[in-house]
Amino acid sequence: MAREQSRYGVISSRVAIIGAGVSGLAAAKQLSHLNPIVFEATDSIGGVWRHYSYESTRLQSLRCDYEFSDFPWLDRDNSSFPSHTEIIDYLTAYAKNFNLLKNIKFNSKVMEIRFVGDGKPTDNLAEFGNLLPGKPVWEIAVQTDSSGTIQWYSFEFVVTCIGKYGDIPKIPAFPCNKGPEVFEGKVLHTTDYSKLDKEATTELLKEKKVVVIGFKKSAIDLALECAEANKGPKGQPCTMIVRTLHWTVPHYWIWGLPFFLFYSTRSSQFLHERPNQSLLRAFLCFLLFPMRRAISKFIESYLLWKLPLEKYGLRPEHPFEEDYASCQMAIMPEEFFPQADQGKIVFKRPSRWWFWKNGVEFEDGTRLKADVVIFATGYDGKKKLRMILPDPFRSLMEFPSGIMPLYRGTIHPLIPNMAFLGYVESVSALHSSELRSKWLARLLGEKFKLPSVEKMLEQTTNEIQIMKRTTRFYKKHCISTFSINHDDEICEEMGWTSWRKKNWVLEAFSPYTSQDYKEEREAEYKKKK
């Protein structure tokens, strides 16, 4: 079947991709032979990098760890962390180089998805069958202009790339009459802040008593911007309300050793539990626990020496390993603590707090006056999915573990003819999305078949159980401590060689990057065999 019928005409695609961020672009490139239609709600590509970044937002990884396998950075050896504008330029160049823009419908917001497959939706939860059956399985309602006009399209397969971040802010719950409504100042979320230009952010922050809620990367960057805006004699300190502490690192070197040696090589990940391991290997992991804890302590000793965490009461009580295993680790800007030393950034560590008319009040009865309160409390990615998915699939977003069970980080075993990209976190979200897009392209091309629903559920359950045993912060689908093994299994399923290096020394002690998963490199391996 070369084309699909919509309710209002003919479209020339069997596959829809929702979102033109990093994952959407990766999917569009790998599925280009199917001429997909990419629905992008805004007027530009880039996702969170375009629409939910600050002036100071930078990548948390090195350039060489955040690039497409067939499109390296021109200055990939530059050790600085690229700004969000540099990343947008890189993504734009990628899209133009591979002629992806022709497939993207901008200002096209997906409002609803309907299941139109054979039989009732629940009948299709048993087995997947052919993922490109030659007839519509999903209908998508798309709003393409401000008047609210809805256009319906039909597709055999849908790739959802709307991600977990942006759009829907996550706001804490407050007791009655103690929420933002009683505060006489200004309350906003980082979602709102990121939409302001530099002049507007300066006006918002300058000479204002600002309170930032949170202590993850977005909160740290925001507090630093606030401190920069409040230089001068009339400047006010920015107060960070910190409830849960996480380890931060100033750079990717620990006591003179590159950070990748500790967690991003085969030898280092051998110390950690992984899915589908044998009983012997499980026993070895148990015996190697002291070594894992020693590595964590070694890194902690450097961070406590390098950063004034004890001075400001910011030392986490849990091991560093738990933050890395849950993808909670953040890069600390070098200007941050000097601003704290000057009194421009201060910290409060309450277990509970709420609003009063002139600011915020803490559980011990003390109060803090404020002009502006900004929530850096994250986003509700599950709610974004629930808003567009129909029943009974919407209910599958309410997973008890908090982690969406995705086989190979891509397929929900109980949702037919649909894939999800951008929901697995590791060292590089870009690499994860690209490799899974390659896997998906081969799956749709019938190069291999999915296992049974039971086998897929067993695999995802194993991964979730490992996350639960590794860290108390397991609400993210983070595979950082077994990412190489995860990619190995994807390669093997595609029929690729899982070991991608030139010799065993590099296999054991060098980090894996997207360049190890080039198509031409796979061809070279097959020639050698």
Side-chain angles (χ1 to χ4, degrees):
M1 180 179 175
R3 63 186 184 179
E4 295 286 351
Q5 287 285 340
S6 77
R7 294 187 180 186
Y8 303 106
V10 177
I11 58 174
S12 57
S13 178
R14 307 168 70 182
V15 176
I17 298 172
I18 306 174
V22 171
S23 298
L25 293 176
K29 163 64 168 55
Q30 299 304 323
L31 300 176
S32 59
H33 60 289
L34 293 172
N35 193 29
I37 292 181
V38 183
F39 296 111
E40 168 55 42
T42 70
D43 60 359
S44 56
I45 65 171
V48 294
W49 288 113
R50 172 77 70 177
H51 304 290
Y52 298 100
S53 296
Y54 315 153
E55 183 75 19
S56 61
T57 301
R58 290 185 172 272
L59 184 66
Q60 295 281 281
S61 307
L62 300 174
R63 296 165 200 262
C64 58
D65 291 329
Y66 197 85
E67 63 183 1
F68 294 102
S69 61
D70 51 5
F71 197 75
W73 287 80
L74 294 177
D75 55 345
R76 69 187 308 269
D77 295 326
N78 186 336
S79 60
S80 66
F81 298 112
S83 67
H84 68 98
T85 55
E86 289 179 282
I87 295 171
I88 289 298
D89 290 343
Y90 171 74
L91 295 177
T92 301
Y94 174 80
K96 290 180 178 178
N97 184 75
F98 293 105
N99 198 24
L100 303 181
L101 297 178
K102 66 180 175 59
N103 295 101
I104 303 175
K105 287 183 175 291
F106 291 107
N107 298 309
S108 298
K109 184 177 181 180
V110 172
M111 306 299 293
E112 183 183 352
I113 302 177
R114 290 180 181 174
F115 180 79
V116 293
D118 292 337
K120 298 178 181 179
T122 51
D123 296 335
N124 289 267
L125 300 184
E127 297 294 339
F128 273 69
N130 191 340
L131 295 179
L132 290 176
K135 53 187 175 182
V137 175
W138 297 100
E139 287 186 341
I140 298 180
V142 180
Q143 182 177 310
T144 55
D145 55 51
S146 58
S147 66
T149 302
I150 299 295
Q151 177 83 34
W152 283 89
Y153 299 86
S154 300
F155 296 96
E156 298 173 45
F157 196 89
V158 175
V159 187
T160 303
C161 303
I162 60 176
K164 298 180 292 184
Y165 304 108
D167 295 324
I168 301 179
K170 184 181 293 184
I171 304 292
F174 294 94
C176 183
N177 296 322
K178 293 185 177 181
E181 70 280 359
V182 304
F183 178 49
E184 295 179 353
K186 190 174 184 63
V187 179
L188 63 161
H189 188 271
T190 50
T191 305
D192 310 299
Y193 181 85
S194 60
K195 296 175 182 177
L196 304 176
D197 59 25
K198 185 167 180 59
E199 182 179 346
T201 58
T202 300
E203 183 180 347
L204 175 73
L205 304 175
K206 188 176 182 180
E207 299 177 8
K208 303 288 197 330
K209 297 182 179 70
V210 180
V211 175
V212 175
I213 313 300
F215 194 63
K216 293 186 181 179
K217 182 58 179 172
S218 60
I220 290 170
D221 287 345
L222 179 54
L224 187 57
E225 288 197 8
C226 180
E228 291 288 339
N230 278 280
K231 288 182 177 179
K234 294 184 179 181
Q236 299 290 330
C238 172
T239 302
M240 299 188 76
I241 294 182
V242 185
R243 293 186 62 186
T244 303
L245 291 172
H246 292 288
W247 291 96
T248 57
V249 298
H251 44 65
Y252 285 118
W253 290 87
I254 303 294
W255 294 120
L257 298 173
F259 187 84
F260 69 76
L261 286 177
F262 302 104
Y263 291 108
S264 301
T265 65
R266 282 195 185 275
S267 56
S268 60
Q269 292 196 0
F270 181 80
L271 304 177
H272 297 270
E273 189 178 0
R274 64 179 62 168
N276 308 318
Q277 62 185 12
S278 64
L279 288 176
L280 175 60
R281 199 180 182 292
F283 182 64
L284 281 174
C285 282
F286 174 76
L287 294 179
L288 291 170
F289 173 79
M291 186 176 292
R292 294 198 302 273
R293 186 50 55 89
I295 290 172
S296 188
K297 288 290 185 183
F298 181 74
I299 295 173
E300 290 165 30
S301 69
Y302 177 78
L303 299 180
L304 292 172
W305 172 77
K306 187 70 175 177
L307 303 174
L309 302 180
E310 298 274 19
K311 175 182 177 180
Y312 292 109
L314 299 176
R315 175 179 179 169
E317 296 181 357
H318 57 271
F320 173 85
E321 177 187 358
E322 291 196 40
D323 276 342
Y324 188 81
S326 59
C327 297
Q328 300 280 359
M329 185 190 78
I331 295 290
M332 178 64 73
E334 62 180 28
E335 307 92 350
F336 183 82
F337 281 115
Q339 293 286 1
D341 292 337
Q342 296 175 28
K344 295 298 184 183
I345 301 175
V346 297
F347 309 95
K348 290 285 188 179
R349 293 290 322 283
S351 57
R352 295 184 63 204
W353 68 275
W354 44 83
F355 285 92
W356 65 296
K357 68 175 184 177
N358 293 322
V360 297
E361 182 177 359
F362 305 107
E363 60 181 352
D364 62 0
T366 60
R367 289 178 167 180
L368 176 67
K369 288 187 176 181
D371 301 306
V372 181
V373 176
I374 307 178
F375 288 100
T377 48
Y379 304 91
D380 193 339
K382 288 189 294 183
K383 187 174 182 179
K384 282 206 293 184
L385 284 173
R386 289 197 302 268
M387 287 175 65
I388 62 173
L389 286 177
D391 285 326
F393 309 110
R394 182 182 293 122
S395 62
L396 298 176
M397 297 299 103
E398 299 296 337
F399 22 90
S401 67
I403 302 171
M404 185 158 60
L406 295 176
Y407 178 72
R408 304 302 183 216
T410 309
I411 296 291
H412 194 300
L414 299 178
I415 303 180
N417 294 72
M418 183 174 286
F420 300 84
L421 290 177
Y423 292 87
V424 172
E425 297 192 34
S426 187
V427 176
S428 171
L430 185 150
H431 163 66
S432 295
S433 292
E434 184 188 34
L435 184 58
R436 282 151 189 77
S437 294
K438 292 180 177 181
W439 176 88
L440 180 60
R442 284 153 181 77
L443 175 64
L444 294 180
E446 299 188 324
K447 303 295 184 183
F448 63 92
K449 294 289 186 182
L450 288 172
S452 67
V453 169
E454 291 75 16
K455 288 288 186 183
M456 288 192 286
L457 286 172
E458 180 182 354
Q459 172 72 19
T460 58
T461 300
N462 288 341
E463 292 181 9
I464 291 170
Q465 290 302 320
I466 289 173
M467 295 174 212
K468 284 185 175 182
R469 289 194 291 268
T470 305
T471 173
R472 71 196 70 184
F473 309 109
Y474 61 85
K475 296 300 183 182
K476 292 183 177 183
H477 194 155
C478 178
I479 60 170
S480 59
T481 57
F482 58 92
S483 60
I484 297 176
N485 177 74
H486 191 86
D487 292 349
D488 285 349
E489 293 181 344
I490 288 177
C491 287
E492 290 166 3
E493 206 159 44
M494 290 193 296
W496 284 18
T497 304
S498 57
W499 283 36
R500 316 289 300 174
K501 303 289 187 180
K502 294 180 179 179
N503 57 62
W504 69 268
V505 176
L506 293 176
E507 278 290 350
F509 301 111
S510 66
Y512 263 85
T513 69
S514 60
Q515 297 301 307
D516 294 304
Y517 297 92
K518 288 182 176 180
E519 304 278 347
E520 51 266 34
R521 180 162 293 187
E522 177 60 23
E524 291 173 8
Y525 290 139
K526 289 185 176 179
K527 283 183 180 179
K528 290 179 181 179
K529 290 185 177 182

Coordinates of all heavy atoms in Angstrom, one line a residue, residues 276-327:
N276 N 18.7 -10.1 31.9 CA 19.0 -11.3 31.3 C 20.4 -11.9 31.7 O 21.0 -12.7 30.9 CB 18.9 -11.2 29.8 CG 17.6 -10.6 29.3 OD1 16.5 -10.9 29.9 ND2 17.7 -9.7 28.4
Q277 N 20.9 -11.6 32.8 CA 22.2 -12.1 33.2 C 22.1 -13.5 33.8 O 21.0 -13.8 34.3 CB 22.9 -11.2 34.1 CG 22.2 -11.0 35.5 CD 22.9 -9.9 36.3 OE1 23.8 -9.2 35.9 NE2 22.5 -9.8 37.6
S278 N 23.1 -14.3 33.7 CA 23.1 -15.6 34.2 C 23.2 -15.6 35.8 O 23.6 -14.5 36.4 CB 24.3 -16.4 33.6 OG 25.5 -15.8 34.1
L279 N 23.0 -16.7 36.4 CA 23.1 -16.8 37.8 C 24.6 -16.6 38.3 O 24.8 -16.0 39.3 CB 22.7 -18.2 38.3 CG 21.2 -18.5 38.2 CD1 20.9 -19.9 38.6 CD2 20.4 -17.5 39.1
L280 N 25.5 -17.0 37.5 CA 26.9 -16.8 37.8 C 27.3 -15.3 37.8 O 27.9 -14.8 38.7 CB 27.8 -17.6 36.8 CG 29.3 -17.3 36.9 CD1 29.8 -17.7 38.3 CD2 30.1 -18.0 35.8
R281 N 26.7 -14.6 36.8 CA 27.0 -13.2 36.7 C 26.3 -12.4 37.8 O 26.8 -11.5 38.3 CB 26.6 -12.7 35.3 CG 27.3 -11.3 35.1 CD 26.9 -10.7 33.8 NE 27.7 -9.5 33.6 CZ 27.5 -8.4 34.3 NH1 26.6 -8.4 35.3 NH2 28.3 -7.3 34.2
A282 N 25.1 -12.9 38.2 CA 24.4 -12.3 39.3 C 25.2 -12.4 40.6 O 25.3 -11.5 41.4 CB 23.0 -12.9 39.4
F283 N 25.8 -13.6 40.7 CA 26.6 -13.9 41.9 C 27.9 -12.9 41.9 O 28.3 -12.4 42.9 CB 27.0 -15.3 42.0 CG 27.9 -15.7 43.2 CD1 27.3 -15.6 44.5 CD2 29.2 -16.1 43.0 CE1 28.1 -15.9 45.6 CE2 29.9 -16.4 44.1 CZ 29.4 -16.3 45.4
L284 N 28.5 -12.8 40.7 CA 29.6 -11.9 40.6 C 29.3 -10.4 40.9 O 30.0 -9.7 41.6 CB 30.2 -12.0 39.2 CG 31.1 -13.2 38.8 CD1 31.4 -13.2 37.4 CD2 32.3 -13.2 39.7
C285 N 28.1 -10.0 40.5 CA 27.6 -8.6 40.8 C 27.5 -8.5 42.3 O 27.8 -7.4 42.9 CB 26.3 -8.4 40.1 SG 26.5 -8.0 38.4
F286 N 27.0 -9.5 43.0 CA 26.9 -9.5 44.4 C 28.2 -9.3 45.1 O 28.4 -8.5 46.0 CB 26.2 -10.7 44.9 CG 26.1 -10.8 46.4 CD1 25.2 -10.1 47.2 CD2 26.9 -11.7 47.1 CE1 25.2 -10.2 48.5 CE2 26.9 -11.8 48.5 CZ 26.0 -11.1 49.2
L287 N 29.2 -10.1 44.6 CA 30.6 -10.0 45.2 C 31.3 -8.7 44.9 O 32.1 -8.3 45.6 CB 31.4 -11.2 44.6 CG 31.0 -12.6 45.0 CD1 31.9 -13.6 44.3 CD2 31.0 -12.8 46.5
L288 N 30.9 -8.1 43.8 CA 31.6 -6.8 43.3 C 30.9 -5.6 44.0 O 31.4 -4.5 43.6 CB 31.5 -6.7 41.8 CG 32.4 -7.7 41.1 CD1 32.1 -7.7 39.6 CD2 33.9 -7.5 41.3
F289 N 29.9 -5.8 44.8 CA 29.3 -4.6 45.4 C 30.3 -3.7 46.1 O 30.2 -2.5 46.0 CB 28.2 -5.1 46.4 CG 27.7 -4.0 47.3 CD1 26.7 -3.1 46.7 CD2 28.1 -3.7 48.6 CE1 26.2 -2.1 47.5 CE2 27.6 -2.7 49.3 CZ 26.6 -1.9 48.8
P290 N 31.3 -4.2 46.9 CA 32.3 -3.3 47.6 C 33.0 -2.5 46.6 O 33.4 -1.3 46.9 CB 33.2 -4.3 48.3 CG 32.3 -5.5 48.6 CD 31.5 -5.6 47.3
M291 N 33.3 -3.1 45.4 CA 34.1 -2.3 44.4 C 33.2 -1.2 43.8 O 33.7 0.0 43.6 CB 34.6 -3.2 43.3 CG 35.4 -2.5 42.3 SD 36.1 -3.6 41.0 CE 37.2 -4.6 42.0
R292 N 31.9 -1.4 43.6 CA 31.0 -0.4 43.1 C 30.9 0.7 44.1 O 30.9 1.9 43.8 CB 29.6 -1.0 42.8 CG 29.6 -2.0 41.7 CD 28.1 -2.1 41.2 NE 27.2 -2.6 42.2 CZ 27.0 -3.8 42.6 NH1 27.6 -4.8 41.9 NH2 26.2 -4.2 43.5
R293 N 30.8 0.4 45.4 CA 30.7 1.4 46.4 C 32.0 2.2 46.6 O 31.9 3.4 46.8 CB 30.3 0.7 47.8 CG 30.0 1.7 48.9 CD 29.0 2.8 48.5 NE 27.7 2.3 47.9 CZ 26.7 2.0 48.7 NH1 26.7 2.1 50.0 NH2 25.6 1.6 48.1
A294 N 33.1 1.5 46.4 CA 34.4 2.2 46.5 C 34.5 3.2 45.4 O 35.1 4.3 45.6 CB 35.5 1.2 46.4
I295 N 34.1 2.9 44.2 CA 34.2 3.8 43.1 C 33.3 5.0 43.4 O 33.6 6.2 43.1 CB 33.7 3.1 41.8 CG1 34.8 2.1 41.3 CG2 33.4 4.1 40.7 CD1 34.3 1.2 40.2
S296 N 32.1 4.8 43.9 CA 31.2 5.8 44.3 C 31.8 6.8 45.3 O 31.8 8.0 45.2 CB 29.9 5.3 44.8 OG 28.9 6.3 45.0
K297 N 32.4 6.2 46.3 CA 33.1 6.9 47.4 C 34.3 7.8 46.8 O 34.5 8.9 47.2 CB 33.6 6.0 48.5 CG 32.5 5.4 49.3 CD 31.9 6.5 50.2 CE 30.9 5.9 51.2 NZ 30.2 6.9 52.0
F298 N 35.0 7.2 45.9 CA 36.1 7.8 45.2 C 35.7 9.1 44.5 O 36.3 10.2 44.7 CB 36.8 6.9 44.3 CG 38.0 7.4 43.5 CD1 39.2 7.6 44.2 CD2 37.9 7.8 42.2 CE1 40.3 8.0 43.6 CE2 39.0 8.3 41.6 CZ 40.2 8.4 42.2
I299 N 34.5 9.0 43.8 CA 34.0 10.2 43.1 C 33.5 11.2 44.1 O 33.7 12.4 44.0 CB 32.9 9.7 42.1 CG1 33.5 8.8 41.0 CG2 32.2 10.9 41.5 CD1 32.5 8.2 40.1
E300 N 32.8 10.7 45.1 CA 32.2 11.6 46.2 C 33.4 12.4 46.8 O 33.2 13.6 47.1 CB 31.5 10.8 47.2 CG 30.2 10.2 46.7 CD 29.6 9.2 47.6 OE1 29.9 9.3 48.9 OE2 28.9 8.2 47.2
S301 N 34.5 11.7 47.1 CA 35.6 12.4 47.8 C 36.1 13.6 46.9 O 36.5 14.7 47.5 CB 36.8 11.4 48.0 OG 37.4 11.0 46.8
Y302 N 36.1 13.4 45.6 CA 36.6 14.5 44.7 C 35.6 15.6 44.7 O 35.9 16.8 44.8 CB 36.8 14.0 43.3 CG 37.1 15.1 42.3 CD1 38.4 15.6 42.3 CD2 36.2 15.6 41.5 CE1 38.8 16.6 41.4 CE2 36.5 16.6 40.6 CZ 37.8 17.1 40.6 OH 38.2 18.1 39.7
L303 N 34.3 15.3 44.6 CA 33.3 16.3 44.6 C 33.2 17.1 45.9 O 33.0 18.4 45.9 CB 31.9 15.7 44.3 CG 31.8 14.9 43.0 CD1 30.4 14.4 42.8 CD2 32.1 15.9 41.8
L304 N 33.4 16.5 47.0 CA 33.4 17.2 48.3 C 34.7 18.0 48.4 O 34.6 19.1 49.2 CB 33.3 16.2 49.5 CG 32.0 15.4 49.6 CD1 32.1 14.3 50.6 CD2 30.9 16.3 49.9
W305 N 35.7 17.7 47.8 CA 37.0 18.5 47.8 C 36.8 19.7 46.8 O 37.3 20.8 47.2 CB 38.2 17.6 47.4 CG 39.4 18.4 47.2 CD1 40.3 18.9 48.1 CD2 40.0 18.8 45.9 NE1 41.3 19.6 47.6 CE2 41.2 19.5 46.2 CE3 39.6 18.6 44.6 CZ2 42.0 20.1 45.2 CZ3 40.4 19.1 43.6 CH2 41.6 19.8 43.9
K306 N 36.2 19.4 45.7 CA 36.2 20.4 44.6 C 35.0 21.5 44.9 O 35.2 22.6 44.5 CB 35.9 19.7 43.3 CG 36.0 20.6 42.1 CD 37.4 21.1 41.8 CE 37.5 22.0 40.5 NZ 38.8 22.5 40.3
L307 N 33.9 21.0 45.4 CA 32.7 21.9 45.6 C 32.4 22.1 47.0 O 32.5 21.1 47.8 CB 31.5 21.3 44.9 CG 31.7 21.0 43.4 CD1 30.4 20.2 42.9 CD2 31.9 22.2 42.6
P308 N 32.0 23.3 47.5 CA 31.7 23.5 48.9 C 30.3 23.0 49.3 O 29.5 23.7 49.8 CB 31.7 25.0 48.9 CG 31.3 25.5 47.6 CD 31.8 24.5 46.6
L309 N 30.1 21.7 49.1 CA 28.8 21.1 49.4 C 28.5 21.1 50.9 O 27.4 21.3 51.4 CB 28.7 19.7 48.8 CG 28.9 19.6 47.3 CD1 28.8 18.1 46.8 CD2 27.9 20.4 46.5
E310 N 29.6 20.7 51.7 CA 29.4 20.7 53.1 C 29.1 22.1 53.7 O 28.3 22.3 54.6 CB 30.7 20.2 53.8 CG 31.0 18.7 53.4 CD 30.3 17.7 54.3 OE1 29.4 18.1 54.9 OE2 30.8 16.6 54.3
K311 N 29.8 23.1 53.1 CA 29.7 24.5 53.6 C 28.2 25.0 53.5 O 27.7 25.6 54.4 CB 30.6 25.4 52.8 CG 30.4 26.9 53.1 CD 31.4 27.7 52.2 CE 31.2 29.2 52.4 NZ 32.1 30.0 51.6
Y312 N 27.6 24.6 52.4 CA 26.2 25.1 52.2 C 25.1 24.0 52.5 O 24.0 24.2 52.2 CB 26.1 25.5 50.7 CG 26.9 26.8 50.5 CD1 28.0 26.7 49.7 CD2 26.5 28.0 51.0 CE1 28.7 27.9 49.4 CE2 27.2 29.2 50.7 CZ 28.4 29.1 49.9 OH 29.1 30.2 49.7
G313 N 25.5 23.0 53.2 CA 24.5 21.9 53.5 C 23.9 21.2 52.4 O 22.8 20.8 52.4
L314 N 24.7 21.1 51.3 CA 24.2 20.5 50.1 C 24.8 19.1 49.8 O 24.7 18.6 48.6 CB 24.5 21.4 48.9 CG 23.9 22.8 49.0 CD1 24.4 23.7 47.8 CD2 22.4 22.7 49.0
R315 N 25.4 18.5 50.8 CA 25.9 17.1 50.5 C 24.8 16.1 50.6 O 24.1 16.0 51.6 CB 26.9 16.8 51.6 CG 27.5 15.4 51.5 CD 28.5 15.1 52.5 NE 29.0 13.7 52.4 CZ 30.0 13.2 53.1 NH1 30.7 14.0 53.9 NH2 30.3 11.9 52.9
P316 N 24.5 15.4 49.5 CA 23.5 14.3 49.6 C 23.9 13.2 50.5 O 25.1 12.9 50.7 CB 23.5 13.8 48.1 CG 24.1 14.9 47.3 CD 25.1 15.5 48.2
E317 N 22.9 12.6 51.1 CA 23.2 11.4 52.0 C 23.3 10.1 51.3 O 23.8 9.1 51.8 CB 22.1 11.4 53.1 CG 22.0 12.6 54.0 CD 20.9 12.5 55.0 OE1 20.2 11.5 55.0 OE2 20.8 13.4 55.8
H318 N 22.8 10.0 50.0 CA 22.8 8.8 49.3 C 24.1 8.7 48.5 O 24.7 9.8 48.2 CB 21.6 8.7 48.4 CG 21.5 9.8 47.4 ND1 20.8 11.0 47.7 CD2 22.0 10.0 46.2 CE1 20.8 11.8 46.7 NE2 21.5 11.3 45.8
P319 N 24.5 7.5 48.0 CA 25.8 7.4 47.2 C 25.6 8.1 45.9 O 24.5 8.1 45.3 CB 25.9 5.9 47.1 CG 25.1 5.3 48.2 CD 24.0 6.2 48.4
F320 N 26.8 8.5 45.3 CA 26.8 9.1 44.0 C 26.2 8.1 43.0 O 25.5 8.5 42.0 CB 28.2 9.5 43.6 CG 28.4 10.0 42.2 CD1 28.1 11.3 41.9 CD2 28.7 9.1 41.2 CE1 28.2 11.7 40.6 CE2 28.8 9.5 39.9 CZ 28.6 10.8 39.6
E321 N 26.5 6.9 43.1 CA 26.1 5.9 42.1 C 24.6 5.9 41.9 O 24.1 5.7 40.8 CB 26.5 4.5 42.6 CG 26.1 3.3 41.7 CD 26.3 2.0 42.3 OE1 26.9 1.9 43.4 OE2 26.0 1.0 41.7
E322 N 23.8 6.2 42.9 CA 22.4 6.2 42.8 C 21.9 7.3 41.9 O 20.9 7.2 41.1 CB 21.7 6.3 44.2 CG 21.8 5.0 45.0 CD 20.9 5.0 46.2 OE1 19.7 5.4 46.0 OE2 21.2 4.6 47.3
D323 N 22.6 8.5 41.9 CA 22.2 9.6 41.0 C 22.6 9.2 39.6 O 21.8 9.5 38.7 CB 22.9 10.9 41.5 CG 22.1 11.6 42.6 OD1 20.9 11.3 42.7 OD2 22.7 12.4 43.3
Y324 N 23.7 8.6 39.4 CA 24.1 8.3 38.1 C 23.2 7.2 37.5 O 22.8 7.3 36.3 CB 25.6 7.8 38.0 CG 26.1 7.6 36.6 CD1 26.6 8.7 35.9 CD2 26.1 6.3 36.0 CE1 27.0 8.5 34.6 CE2 26.5 6.2 34.7 CZ 27.0 7.3 34.0 OH 27.4 7.1 32.7
A325 N 22.8 6.2 38.3 CA 22.0 5.2 37.9 C 20.5 5.6 37.6 O 19.8 4.9 36.9 CB 21.9 4.0 38.9
S326 N 20.2 6.8 38.1 CA 18.8 7.3 37.8 C 18.8 8.5 36.9 O 17.8 9.2 36.7 CB 18.1 7.7 39.1 OG 18.9 8.6 39.8
C327 N 20.0 8.8 36.3 CA 20.2 9.9 35.4 C 19.8 11.3 36.0 O 19.2 12.2 35.4 CB 19.3 9.8 34.1 SG 19.8 8.3 33.1

